[in-house]
Amino acid sequence: MASVFELSEPYRNHLVAVLPAGRGVCATCWRAVDPGYRLCYPCQVTHDGYGGRLAEVVVPVALAVKRQQLAHELWHYKYDPDQRVRQMLEIRLAAVLWRFLRQHEPHVAAAVGVPRFDVVTTVPGTRPRDDDHPLVRIVGTHVGQTRDRYQPLLGLGPDASVEGRAVLVNRYRAAQAMTGHPAVLLVDDTWTTGGHAQSAAIALHDAGAASVAVVVLGRHFDRNFGSGETYYQQAKARTFSWYTCCLELVPPAGPTPA
Amino acid sequence: MTRAEQAALVAWLRRPGVVWSAVTEQLEECGSVQKATAAQSPAQGSLFEAARTDGPDEAARDLQRWDRAGIRMVCVLDAEYPSNLRMIHQHPPVLFMRGSADERDVTSVAVVGTRQPTPRGIDQARQLATGLAANGIPVISGLAAGIDTAAHTAALMAGGRTVAVIGTGIDRVYPPQNAGLQEEIVAKGLVISQFLPGAPPTKASFPMRNAVMSGYALATVVVEAADRSGSRIQASLALQHGRHVFLMCSLLEHKWARDYAERPGVTVVETAADVFAGLQRLASESTDLVWA
């Protein structure tokens, strides 16, 4: 038996949470944004184009800092050629997700105005694979918090093979109409610009979901991009805790990154 | 991997300004040296093509020379690349090896400490390595003077397996007095270097070596280490890799060790039996996850 606590606890040594909501932080994806702007440019463009069809809230467990451990694991759990590596990372990341959702799913649900999510699903992978996507196993099998509510709601749409990270209405397609208008928790591993997760949220809304919240294990982060280093240093100074998520964090009193 | 691919990779790593971590990423993303090198230099033509068509270039000649010296190059795309090391973000694109690989190394323990140990530290390192070896746990260390030497030597004397992860090219010896020990480890265990053969010791190479040692082993034991030491760096790196760190209780006289002892993934130990007991849980590869 692998214990969620034992596998997830060492992540406290290297996880870095996103900065709290507020000035200088994108209200959707939590990256650094110029003061005076509520959304970063990609999120603003997406919002202008799709508005209410997008996810109501996006919650990253932590920053997936380029060339650091979480970003490494989020790639290697899917693509490492060594099956042992993939399997061990899959279980560890499942422990991280379980630990996070056990503590914070009520906060994510409250952010979209529901007491609990009716259904949990994943953003489908767009690279061809011989086996099930490991994120499906994480959400549908390993994580006790989600396995009973997991449904494979989405399949690939006609634009699934379009390269890049653009939001595309036809990147994914709901398997069927959701007549019960459920509240959906949509899980993805990495958020870069949100193109895939938001395309999935659009497909879910269009198929009848009453609300869609996205939880991602890692929010991709490049310290060398824009004011990334300033943001990173501020975020790193706030010790990661399993007991606080970005929806609860109080903005710092000091200046926020430019 | 073909010899032409190996030569192209060595040539790539020797290019001025090449960032090795980026090489690792490119290799893994592209899945082959040919594709990765082509992606690197589309305007100049593929390095792979150059290495393949330019005859016995320098890299190919070096590979032949390394072969004759019993040095083999293992690339991140090779099945022989250690799986523990694949799991950490600081895994290098290539390893150079002399000696024999062994599946037991997935549950190995790195034993590290100061180059200027006290007699107590030496005794602790010996007892630890002997106890680990008696339990079939390979002992990993850095072939440095002091604690590293004591750990390697004790493991060998106990008939156990030991692996040295060194901070120079694999055809060099540092410190020179460990030349005999290095050859004994080659004969009975494994010596690993992440640096091209011929690479001298530098200020940067030892912390890089510590990252690989942390990644190769399942856990790290710090025996005796001052505030500013490579061993403390390795403890820090191990925690950044999500690996477990054992601290010998005598280290608690240092503030840094008392601070580390409060962190998750750190256990204070007194004996090899304590480390062995801790390893039993760490070595579990169960896929049956429970809320506990």
Side-chain angles (χ1 to χ4, degrees), chain B residues 89-141:
Chain B
H89 66 281
Q90 290 173 308
H91 64 305
V94 293
L95 295 172
F96 294 89
M97 297 183 173
R98 291 180 69 211
S100 55
D102 193 312
E103 288 181 356
R104 289 176 296 173
D105 290 355
V106 295
T107 55
S108 60
V109 172
V111 178
V112 297
T114 177
R115 289 177 167 83
Q116 291 101 31
T118 63
R120 180 183 69 176
I122 291 282
D123 189 50
Q124 286 176 332
R126 284 179 180 155
Q127 287 195 29
L128 198 56
T130 302
L132 292 171
N135 283 291
I137 305 296
V139 173
I140 317 301
S141 200

Side-chain angles (χ1 to χ4, degrees), chain B:
Chain B
M1 180 177 293
T2 65
R3 179 50 57 100
E5 287 176 309
Q6 287 187 322
L9 179 52
V10 170
W12 184 9
L13 293 171
R14 282 176 168 161
R15 289 177 78 185
V18 165
V19 178
W20 283 32
S21 56
V23 173
T24 308
E25 284 175 10
Q26 282 291 323
L27 289 170
E28 291 180 323
E29 185 66 37
C30 296
S32 78
V33 176
Q34 187 169 10
K35 288 178 185 168
T37 52
Q40 279 300 296
S41 51
Q44 302 163 21
S46 158
L47 277 172
F48 177 82
E49 286 301 309
R52 192 174 63 80
T53 58
D54 287 359
D57 66 356
E58 187 182 353
R61 283 196 302 274
D62 286 340
L63 281 161
Q64 288 176 358
R65 185 164 53 82
W66 298 337
D67 266 353
R68 289 194 295 273
I71 298 167
R72 58 187 189 282
M73 186 175 94
V74 176
C75 156
V76 72
L77 298 176
D78 294 327
E80 195 187 342
Y81 195 93
S83 60
N84 278 357
L85 194 52
R86 285 186 188 282
M87 282 186 236
I88 69 154
H89 66 281
Q90 290 173 308
H91 64 305
V94 293
L95 295 172
F96 294 89
M97 297 183 173
R98 291 180 69 211
S100 55
D102 193 312
E103 288 181 356
R104 289 176 296 173
D105 290 355
V106 295
T107 55
S108 60
V109 172
V111 178
V112 297
T114 177
R115 289 177 167 83
Q116 291 101 31
T118 63
R120 180 183 69 176
I122 291 282
D123 189 50
Q124 286 176 332
R126 284 179 180 155
Q127 287 195 29
L128 198 56
T130 302
L132 292 171
N135 283 291
I137 305 296
V139 173
I140 317 301
S141 200
L143 205 70
I147 295 296
D148 290 16
T149 298
H152 285 304
T153 306
L156 288 168
M157 286 185 68
R161 175 172 167 81
T162 192
V163 176
V165 182
I166 65 174
T168 65
I170 199 161
D171 53 349
R172 299 182 70 132
V173 180
Y174 186 85
Q177 63 265 30
N178 273 349
L181 179 59
Q182 185 162 329
E183 286 308 308
E184 188 177 358
I185 295 172
V186 168
K188 297 177 179 173
L190 179 65
V191 176
I192 297 173
S193 168
Q194 74 217 76
F195 306 102
L196 288 169
T202 68
K203 196 173 178 183
S205 60
F206 290 103
M208 292 167 71
R209 177 278 304 273
N210 285 116
V212 169
M213 204 193 316
S214 160
Y216 189 82
L218 180 61
T220 290
V221 189
V222 185
V223 175
E224 203 173 45
D227 277 359
R228 296 171 180 274
S229 67
S231 304
R232 183 182 168 181
I233 289 172
Q234 181 158 334
S236 172
L237 291 168
L239 296 181
Q240 293 299 309
H241 298 153
R243 293 287 159 86
H244 204 86
V245 171
F246 296 97
L247 300 176
M248 291 302 289
C249 61
S250 51
L251 280 171
L252 295 180
E253 64 194 37
H254 299 289
K255 184 177 183 307
W256 76 263
R258 292 195 295 276
D259 291 343
Y260 270 56
E262 300 297 317
R263 297 177 68 170
V266 178
T267 308
V268 178
V269 294
E270 292 187 37
T271 65
D274 295 339
V275 176
F276 187 68
L279 280 181
Q280 301 308 301
R281 297 192 70 79
L282 298 175
S284 167
E285 296 187 9
S286 171
T287 58
D288 195 2
L289 193 61
V290 293
W291 180 262

Side-chain angles (χ1 to χ4, degrees), chain A residues 1-7 9-14 66-69 72-73 75-76 79-82 84-85 87-89 91-92 94-95 98-100 102-103 127 142-143 147 236, chain B residues 19 21-22 25 28-29 76-77 79 81-91 106-107 218 239-243 262-266 281-282 284-292:
Chain A
M1 295 282 190
S3 148
V4 169
F5 187 84
E6 286 185 3
L7 290 182
E9 193 61 358
Y11 281 83
R12 275 207 289 133
N13 285 315
H14 60 82
K66 189 176 180 181
R67 293 186 184 152
Q68 290 193 12
Q69 189 63 26
H72 174 85
E73 294 188 6
W75 192 88
H76 282 260
Y79 302 125
D80 196 284
D82 187 328
R84 173 178 178 263
V85 172
Q87 188 167 294
M88 290 185 72
L89 295 179
I91 290 298
R92 291 177 193 187
W98 195 343
R99 182 92 183 260
F100 183 84
R102 177 81 163 225
Q103 187 75 28
R127 284 198 202 183
H142 300 313
V143 176
R147 69 168 75 103
K236 195 165 181 279
Chain B
V19 178
S21 56
E25 284 175 10
E28 291 180 323
E29 185 66 37
V76 72
L77 298 176
Y81 195 93
S83 60
N84 278 357
L85 194 52
R86 285 186 188 282
M87 282 186 236
I88 69 154
H89 66 281
Q90 290 173 308
H91 64 305
V106 295
T107 55
L218 180 61
L239 296 181
Q240 293 299 309
H241 298 153
R243 293 287 159 86
E262 300 297 317
R263 297 177 68 170
V266 178
R281 297 192 70 79
L282 298 175
S284 167
E285 296 187 9
S286 171
T287 58
D288 195 2
L289 193 61
V290 293
W291 180 262

